[in-house]
Amino acid sequence: MLNIVVCVSGGGTNLQAIIDGISAGTIRNTRIVGVISNNAGAYALKRAEQNDIPGFCISPKNYESRADFNQALMDKLAQLNPDLIVLAGFLVILPQQMIATYRDKIINIHPSLIPSFCGTGYYGLKVHEEALKRGVKVTGATVHYVDEGTDTGKIIFQKAVEVLEGDTPEVLQKRVMEQAEWIILPKAIDEIAMKEN
Ligand code: GAR
């Protein structure tokens, strides 16, 4: 059984796709042992609660220094002891120590076809705003392992999504989620879980 911790900051639709995948059996051999949010108001924490998954808020606002926040995050992870950490819209710069401790055990979903529209400053709606500004006709999403760089780790899956005439960032974000993110993130977890056996 692959024990996963899902780290979130916002709405948690990717978390929901994981929860749904586990109940539908499309994600096999996997259990969510905890959800960690850096934001107390994240709807993702509600989703955890509704599904009887332990949810934790670890916010930089509650710590005197970044080092204290990083330590609290590391302590919580150590307690939960995951086989895999899934960053599902977690908008926090990871402590170096976390990347080193969980090498090849952290994956992230990014809402573009890496290496386009990724790296520092490219997150959430901003990614889609930039894609529309550039006028690309195809965008998509990428699941990748996390290393020391920003969105530089080994790519696991990518899925392309068409940009349509008249798209707003919000409309494009929703299409990328529906047609790519909610499909490839569960698929990556299932693949990793099946390799564990
Ligand atoms: C998703 O679109 C995810 O790809 C993106 O944040 C959103 C979170 O939505 N992540 C990044 O931009 C990371 N660089 P959700 O909370 O509804 O899953």
Side-chain angles (χ1 to χ4, degrees):
M1 183 68 74
L2 187 81
N3 288 325
I4 67 171
V5 165
V6 184
C7 296
V8 296
S9 298
T13 63
N14 279 286
L15 167 66
Q16 191 66 53
I18 299 167
I19 294 170
D20 294 347
I22 292 172
S23 14
T26 49
I27 304 177
R28 293 161 291 178
N29 198 33
T30 300
R31 170 169 57 208
I32 306 176
V33 292
V35 169
I36 298 177
S37 172
N38 62 314
N39 165 15
Y43 189 67
L45 283 175
K46 272 260 150 21
R47 295 182 194 270
E49 195 186 321
Q50 284 160 1
N51 289 278
D52 295 321
I53 300 164
F56 308 92
C57 170
I58 302 178
S59 165
K61 289 183 192 152
N62 299 332
Y63 297 91
E64 282 198 356
S65 67
R66 194 71 190 185
D68 288 351
F69 163 73
N70 287 347
Q71 193 54 53
L73 185 58
M74 288 301 291
D75 289 349
K76 181 54 71 188
L77 287 169
Q79 209 179 78
L80 295 169
N81 191 27
D83 302 307
L84 183 74
I85 298 168
V86 179
L87 309 183
F90 190 50
L91 307 180
V92 164
I93 296 173
L94 301 191
Q96 287 300 315
Q97 199 197 341
M98 177 171 162
I99 298 166
T101 306
Y102 299 96
R103 191 163 298 285
D104 299 326
K105 289 184 174 176
I106 310 176
I107 64 171
N108 178 50
I109 179 80
H110 183 78
S112 76
L113 293 173
I114 289 175
S116 289
F117 309 112
C118 64
T120 309
Y122 284 94
Y123 58 87
L125 215 49
K126 177 91 185 145
V127 177
H128 305 293
E129 282 167 10
E130 292 301 319
L132 288 176
K133 243 188 239 167
R134 186 63 187 84
V136 295
K137 301 299 176 202
V138 175
T139 183
T142 304
V143 195
H144 63 92
Y145 283 101
V146 171
D147 65 10
E148 274 75 6
T150 306
D151 303 326
T152 53
K154 185 168 178 264
I155 291 172
I156 306 169
F157 290 123
Q158 291 189 302
K159 195 164 185 294
V161 173
E162 240 187 301
V163 178
L164 300 180
E165 201 64 41
D167 271 353
T168 61
E170 289 80 4
V171 166
L172 183 58
Q173 179 182 51
K174 185 149 185 285
R175 188 177 314 115
V176 168
M177 284 175 160
E178 285 172 352
Q179 296 185 5
E181 296 185 45
W182 302 342
I183 298 165
I184 62 175
L185 183 59
K187 189 172 162 202
I189 297 167
D190 178 65
E191 191 176 276
I192 293 167
M194 293 313 281
K195 271 192 204 144
E196 284 272 305
N197 265 352

PDB file of all heavy atoms in Angstrom, residues 10-15 88-91 108-111 122-124 127-128 151 173 177 181, ligand 1:
ATOM      1  N   GLY A  10      -5.223  25.607  -1.943  1.00  0.00           N
ATOM      2  CA  GLY A  10      -6.457  26.278  -2.361  1.00  0.00           C
ATOM      3  C   GLY A  10      -7.662  25.373  -2.440  1.00  0.00           C
ATOM      4  O   GLY A  10      -7.979  24.632  -1.513  1.00  0.00           O
ATOM      5  N   GLY A  11      -8.294  25.406  -3.594  1.00  0.00           N
ATOM      6  CA  GLY A  11      -9.579  24.733  -3.780  1.00  0.00           C
ATOM      7  C   GLY A  11      -9.527  23.226  -3.629  1.00  0.00           C
ATOM      8  O   GLY A  11     -10.498  22.596  -3.217  1.00  0.00           O
ATOM      9  N   GLY A  12      -8.438  22.645  -4.043  1.00  0.00           N
ATOM     10  CA  GLY A  12      -8.282  21.203  -3.847  1.00  0.00           C
ATOM     11  C   GLY A  12      -9.025  20.342  -4.849  1.00  0.00           C
ATOM     12  O   GLY A  12      -9.391  19.207  -4.542  1.00  0.00           O
ATOM     13  N   THR A  13      -9.203  20.841  -6.081  1.00  0.00           N
ATOM     14  CA  THR A  13      -9.883  19.983  -7.065  1.00  0.00           C
ATOM     15  C   THR A  13      -8.995  18.812  -7.468  1.00  0.00           C
ATOM     16  O   THR A  13      -9.504  17.730  -7.770  1.00  0.00           O
ATOM     17  CB  THR A  13     -10.320  20.766  -8.320  1.00  0.00           C
ATOM     18  OG1 THR A  13      -9.168  21.268  -8.992  1.00  0.00           O
ATOM     19  CG2 THR A  13     -11.260  21.900  -7.966  1.00  0.00           C
ATOM     20  N   ASN A  14      -7.696  18.997  -7.454  1.00  0.00           N
ATOM     21  CA  ASN A  14      -6.803  17.859  -7.742  1.00  0.00           C
ATOM     22  C   ASN A  14      -6.834  16.848  -6.598  1.00  0.00           C
ATOM     23  O   ASN A  14      -6.809  15.644  -6.833  1.00  0.00           O
ATOM     24  CB  ASN A  14      -5.377  18.337  -8.025  1.00  0.00           C
ATOM     25  CG  ASN A  14      -5.225  18.820  -9.452  1.00  0.00           C
ATOM     26  OD1 ASN A  14      -5.177  18.016 -10.387  1.00  0.00           O
ATOM     27  ND2 ASN A  14      -5.182  20.136  -9.644  1.00  0.00           N
ATOM     28  N   LEU A  15      -6.898  17.347  -5.359  1.00  0.00           N
ATOM     29  CA  LEU A  15      -7.074  16.444  -4.210  1.00  0.00           C
ATOM     30  C   LEU A  15      -8.349  15.636  -4.403  1.00  0.00           C
ATOM     31  O   LEU A  15      -8.367  14.415  -4.192  1.00  0.00           O
ATOM     32  CB  LEU A  15      -7.148  17.264  -2.907  1.00  0.00           C
ATOM     33  CG  LEU A  15      -7.625  16.496  -1.674  1.00  0.00           C
ATOM     34  CD1 LEU A  15      -6.628  15.415  -1.269  1.00  0.00           C
ATOM     35  CD2 LEU A  15      -7.887  17.445  -0.499  1.00  0.00           C
ATOM     36  N   ALA A  88      -0.353  19.155  -4.850  1.00  0.00           N
ATOM     37  CA  ALA A  88      -1.542  19.362  -5.677  1.00  0.00           C
ATOM     38  C   ALA A  88      -1.996  20.809  -5.496  1.00  0.00           C
ATOM     39  O   ALA A  88      -2.900  21.104  -4.721  1.00  0.00           O
ATOM     40  CB  ALA A  88      -2.635  18.378  -5.268  1.00  0.00           C
ATOM     41  N   GLY A  89      -1.271  21.711  -6.171  1.00  0.00           N
ATOM     42  CA  GLY A  89      -1.565  23.129  -6.005  1.00  0.00           C
ATOM     43  C   GLY A  89      -0.996  23.659  -4.707  1.00  0.00           C
ATOM     44  O   GLY A  89      -1.615  24.470  -4.030  1.00  0.00           O
ATOM     45  N   PHE A  90       0.195  23.191  -4.336  1.00  0.00           N
ATOM     46  CA  PHE A  90       0.857  23.636  -3.092  1.00  0.00           C
ATOM     47  C   PHE A  90       1.798  24.778  -3.467  1.00  0.00           C
ATOM     48  O   PHE A  90       2.837  24.555  -4.094  1.00  0.00           O
ATOM     49  CB  PHE A  90       1.643  22.474  -2.494  1.00  0.00           C
ATOM     50  CG  PHE A  90       2.177  22.708  -1.099  1.00  0.00           C
ATOM     51  CD1 PHE A  90       1.351  23.175  -0.086  1.00  0.00           C
ATOM     52  CD2 PHE A  90       3.510  22.428  -0.797  1.00  0.00           C
ATOM     53  CE1 PHE A  90       1.827  23.354   1.214  1.00  0.00           C
ATOM     54  CE2 PHE A  90       4.007  22.607   0.500  1.00  0.00           C
ATOM     55  CZ  PHE A  90       3.164  23.071   1.495  1.00  0.00           C
ATOM     56  N   LEU A  91       1.411  26.000  -3.103  1.00  0.00           N
ATOM     57  CA  LEU A  91       2.130  27.172  -3.586  1.00  0.00           C
ATOM     58  C   LEU A  91       3.149  27.665  -2.552  1.00  0.00           C
ATOM     59  O   LEU A  91       3.142  28.816  -2.133  1.00  0.00           O
ATOM     60  CB  LEU A  91       1.129  28.275  -3.960  1.00  0.00           C
ATOM     61  CG  LEU A  91       0.042  27.817  -4.942  1.00  0.00           C
ATOM     62  CD1 LEU A  91      -0.920  28.956  -5.270  1.00  0.00           C
ATOM     63  CD2 LEU A  91       0.642  27.236  -6.223  1.00  0.00           C
ATOM     64  N   ASN A 108       4.632  16.664  -8.485  1.00  0.00           N
ATOM     65  CA  ASN A 108       3.912  17.936  -8.570  1.00  0.00           C
ATOM     66  C   ASN A 108       3.081  17.967  -9.839  1.00  0.00           C
ATOM     67  O   ASN A 108       3.493  17.421 -10.864  1.00  0.00           O
ATOM     68  CB  ASN A 108       4.949  19.081  -8.613  1.00  0.00           C
ATOM     69  CG  ASN A 108       4.313  20.450  -8.744  1.00  0.00           C
ATOM     70  OD1 ASN A 108       3.397  20.801  -7.994  1.00  0.00           O
ATOM     71  ND2 ASN A 108       4.778  21.240  -9.711  1.00  0.00           N
ATOM     72  N   ILE A 109       1.914  18.613  -9.767  1.00  0.00           N
ATOM     73  CA  ILE A 109       1.131  18.856 -10.986  1.00  0.00           C
ATOM     74  C   ILE A 109       1.300  20.330 -11.356  1.00  0.00           C
ATOM     75  O   ILE A 109       1.163  21.211 -10.503  1.00  0.00           O
ATOM     76  CB  ILE A 109      -0.368  18.480 -10.808  1.00  0.00           C
ATOM     77  CG1 ILE A 109      -1.180  18.754 -12.070  1.00  0.00           C
ATOM     78  CG2 ILE A 109      -1.004  19.166  -9.610  1.00  0.00           C
ATOM     79  CD1 ILE A 109      -1.063  17.722 -13.136  1.00  0.00           C
ATOM     80  N   HIS A 110       1.652  20.566 -12.626  1.00  0.00           N
ATOM     81  CA  HIS A 110       1.826  21.943 -13.102  1.00  0.00           C
ATOM     82  C   HIS A 110       0.912  22.169 -14.312  1.00  0.00           C
ATOM     83  O   HIS A 110       0.867  21.324 -15.216  1.00  0.00           O
ATOM     84  CB  HIS A 110       3.298  22.192 -13.475  1.00  0.00           C
ATOM     85  CG  HIS A 110       3.521  23.609 -13.897  1.00  0.00           C
ATOM     86  ND1 HIS A 110       3.626  24.641 -13.000  1.00  0.00           N
ATOM     87  CD2 HIS A 110       3.600  24.165 -15.128  1.00  0.00           C
ATOM     88  CE1 HIS A 110       3.779  25.779 -13.655  1.00  0.00           C
ATOM     89  NE2 HIS A 110       3.759  25.518 -14.950  1.00  0.00           N
ATOM     90  N   PRO A 111       0.220  23.325 -14.352  1.00  0.00           N
ATOM     91  CA  PRO A 111      -0.785  23.514 -15.395  1.00  0.00           C
ATOM     92  C   PRO A 111      -0.261  24.069 -16.726  1.00  0.00           C
ATOM     93  O   PRO A 111      -0.821  25.026 -17.276  1.00  0.00           O
ATOM     94  CB  PRO A 111      -1.776  24.482 -14.738  1.00  0.00           C
ATOM     95  CG  PRO A 111      -0.934  25.311 -13.839  1.00  0.00           C
ATOM     96  CD  PRO A 111       0.172  24.411 -13.351  1.00  0.00           C
ATOM     97  N   TYR A 122       5.406  31.288 -12.092  1.00  0.00           N
ATOM     98  CA  TYR A 122       4.342  30.671 -12.890  1.00  0.00           C
ATOM     99  C   TYR A 122       3.559  29.682 -12.029  1.00  0.00           C
ATOM    100  O   TYR A 122       4.009  28.561 -11.810  1.00  0.00           O
ATOM    101  CB  TYR A 122       4.934  29.935 -14.094  1.00  0.00           C
ATOM    102  CG  TYR A 122       5.387  30.861 -15.209  1.00  0.00           C
ATOM    103  CD1 TYR A 122       6.701  31.295 -15.282  1.00  0.00           C
ATOM    104  CD2 TYR A 122       4.485  31.288 -16.174  1.00  0.00           C
ATOM    105  CE1 TYR A 122       7.113  32.135 -16.293  1.00  0.00           C
ATOM    106  CE2 TYR A 122       4.887  32.135 -17.196  1.00  0.00           C
ATOM    107  CZ  TYR A 122       6.196  32.552 -17.244  1.00  0.00           C
ATOM    108  OH  TYR A 122       6.592  33.396 -18.251  1.00  0.00           O
ATOM    109  N   TYR A 123       2.421  30.134 -11.548  1.00  0.00           N
ATOM    110  CA  TYR A 123       1.569  29.239 -10.767  1.00  0.00           C
ATOM    111  C   TYR A 123       0.113  29.663 -10.945  1.00  0.00           C
ATOM    112  O   TYR A 123      -0.175  30.823 -11.261  1.00  0.00           O
ATOM    113  CB  TYR A 123       1.957  29.252  -9.274  1.00  0.00           C
ATOM    114  CG  TYR A 123       1.878  30.621  -8.668  1.00  0.00           C
ATOM    115  CD1 TYR A 123       0.689  31.107  -8.141  1.00  0.00           C
ATOM    116  CD2 TYR A 123       2.984  31.447  -8.650  1.00  0.00           C
ATOM    117  CE1 TYR A 123       0.604  32.382  -7.611  1.00  0.00           C
ATOM    118  CE2 TYR A 123       2.914  32.730  -8.129  1.00  0.00           C
ATOM    119  CZ  TYR A 123       1.719  33.187  -7.617  1.00  0.00           C
ATOM    120  OH  TYR A 123       1.628  34.455  -7.117  1.00  0.00           O
ATOM    121  N   GLY A 124      -0.769  28.706 -10.771  1.00  0.00           N
ATOM    122  CA  GLY A 124      -2.210  28.966 -10.834  1.00  0.00           C
ATOM    123  C   GLY A 124      -2.629  29.687 -12.110  1.00  0.00           C
ATOM    124  O   GLY A 124      -2.171  29.368 -13.205  1.00  0.00           O
ATOM    125  N   VAL A 127      -0.283  31.184 -15.022  1.00  0.00           N
ATOM    126  CA  VAL A 127       0.219  30.319 -16.101  1.00  0.00           C
ATOM    127  C   VAL A 127      -0.675  30.473 -17.334  1.00  0.00           C
ATOM    128  O   VAL A 127      -0.200  30.617 -18.467  1.00  0.00           O
ATOM    129  CB  VAL A 127       0.235  28.844 -15.636  1.00  0.00           C
ATOM    130  CG1 VAL A 127       0.681  27.917 -16.749  1.00  0.00           C
ATOM    131  CG2 VAL A 127       1.117  28.682 -14.399  1.00  0.00           C
ATOM    132  N   HIS A 128      -1.986  30.468 -17.100  1.00  0.00           N
ATOM    133  CA  HIS A 128      -2.942  30.535 -18.204  1.00  0.00           C
ATOM    134  C   HIS A 128      -2.988  31.949 -18.796  1.00  0.00           C
ATOM    135  O   HIS A 128      -3.159  32.118 -19.999  1.00  0.00           O
ATOM    136  CB  HIS A 128      -4.312  30.069 -17.717  1.00  0.00           C
ATOM    137  CG  HIS A 128      -4.260  28.702 -17.111  1.00  0.00           C
ATOM    138  ND1 HIS A 128      -3.983  27.574 -17.842  1.00  0.00           N
ATOM    139  CD2 HIS A 128      -4.363  28.290 -15.819  1.00  0.00           C
ATOM    140  CE1 HIS A 128      -3.953  26.528 -17.044  1.00  0.00           C
ATOM    141  NE2 HIS A 128      -4.183  26.934 -15.809  1.00  0.00           N
ATOM    142  N   ASP A 151      10.121  23.370 -11.154  1.00  0.00           N
ATOM    143  CA  ASP A 151       9.510  22.668 -12.301  1.00  0.00           C
ATOM    144  C   ASP A 151      10.554  22.048 -13.236  1.00  0.00           C
ATOM    145  O   ASP A 151      10.341  21.969 -14.451  1.00  0.00           O
ATOM    146  CB  ASP A 151       8.594  23.621 -13.107  1.00  0.00           C
ATOM    147  CG  ASP A 151       7.494  24.231 -12.254  1.00  0.00           C
ATOM    148  OD1 ASP A 151       7.002  23.546 -11.344  1.00  0.00           O
ATOM    149  OD2 ASP A 151       7.126  25.394 -12.494  1.00  0.00           O
ATOM    150  N   GLN A 173      -8.160  27.590 -17.586  1.00  0.00           N
ATOM    151  CA  GLN A 173      -7.733  26.854 -16.379  1.00  0.00           C
ATOM    152  C   GLN A 173      -8.661  25.655 -16.132  1.00  0.00           C
ATOM    153  O   GLN A 173      -8.203  24.545 -15.868  1.00  0.00           O
ATOM    154  CB  GLN A 173      -7.765  27.771 -15.159  1.00  0.00           C
ATOM    155  CG  GLN A 173      -7.368  27.078 -13.870  1.00  0.00           C
ATOM    156  CD  GLN A 173      -7.443  27.987 -12.661  1.00  0.00           C
ATOM    157  OE1 GLN A 173      -8.462  28.649 -12.431  1.00  0.00           O
ATOM    158  NE2 GLN A 173      -6.364  28.058 -11.908  1.00  0.00           N
ATOM    159  N   MET A 177      -7.700  21.700 -16.278  1.00  0.00           N
ATOM    160  CA  MET A 177      -7.950  20.802 -15.129  1.00  0.00           C
ATOM    161  C   MET A 177      -8.746  19.582 -15.572  1.00  0.00           C
ATOM    162  O   MET A 177      -8.347  18.442 -15.329  1.00  0.00           O
ATOM    163  CB  MET A 177      -8.717  21.550 -14.029  1.00  0.00           C
ATOM    164  CG  MET A 177      -7.878  22.511 -13.234  1.00  0.00           C
ATOM    165  SD  MET A 177      -8.948  23.410 -12.089  1.00  0.00           S
ATOM    166  CE  MET A 177      -7.744  23.983 -10.895  1.00  0.00           C
ATOM    167  N   GLU A 181      -5.216  17.764 -15.928  1.00  0.00           N
ATOM    168  CA  GLU A 181      -4.721  17.581 -14.549  1.00  0.00           C
ATOM    169  C   GLU A 181      -5.416  16.440 -13.809  1.00  0.00           C
ATOM    170  O   GLU A 181      -4.752  15.588 -13.204  1.00  0.00           O
ATOM    171  CB  GLU A 181      -4.905  18.875 -13.746  1.00  0.00           C
ATOM    172  CG  GLU A 181      -4.086  20.026 -14.275  1.00  0.00           C
ATOM    173  CD  GLU A 181      -4.199  21.262 -13.399  1.00  0.00           C
ATOM    174  OE1 GLU A 181      -4.122  21.138 -12.172  1.00  0.00           O
ATOM    175  OE2 GLU A 181      -4.356  22.368 -13.965  1.00  0.00           O
TER     176      GLU A 181
HETATM  177  C1  GAR B   1      -3.873  23.594 -10.295  1.00  0.00           C
HETATM  178  O1  GAR B   1      -4.208  24.118 -11.555  1.00  0.00           O
HETATM  179  C2  GAR B   1      -2.408  23.197 -10.262  1.00  0.00           C
HETATM  180  O2  GAR B   1      -1.954  22.689 -11.478  1.00  0.00           O
HETATM  181  C3  GAR B   1      -1.760  24.520  -9.967  1.00  0.00           C
HETATM  182  O3  GAR B   1      -2.596  25.110  -8.992  1.00  0.00           O
HETATM  183  C4  GAR B   1      -3.937  24.671  -9.220  1.00  0.00           C
HETATM  184  C5  GAR B   1      -4.517  24.148  -7.930  1.00  0.00           C
HETATM  185  O4  GAR B   1      -5.890  23.845  -8.066  1.00  0.00           O
HETATM  186  N1  GAR B   1      -0.397  24.363  -9.508  1.00  0.00           N
HETATM  187  C6  GAR B   1       0.583  25.195  -9.832  1.00  0.00           C
HETATM  188  O5  GAR B   1       0.423  26.200 -10.504  1.00  0.00           O
HETATM  189  C7  GAR B   1       1.969  24.797  -9.312  1.00  0.00           C
HETATM  190  N2  GAR B   1       2.987  25.568  -9.936  1.00  0.00           N
HETATM  191  P1  GAR B   1      -6.637  22.890  -7.049  1.00  0.00           P
HETATM  192  O6  GAR B   1      -6.367  23.418  -5.636  1.00  0.00           O
HETATM  193  O7  GAR B   1      -8.096  23.037  -7.418  1.00  0.00           O
HETATM  194  O8  GAR B   1      -6.145  21.500  -7.243  1.00  0.00           O
END
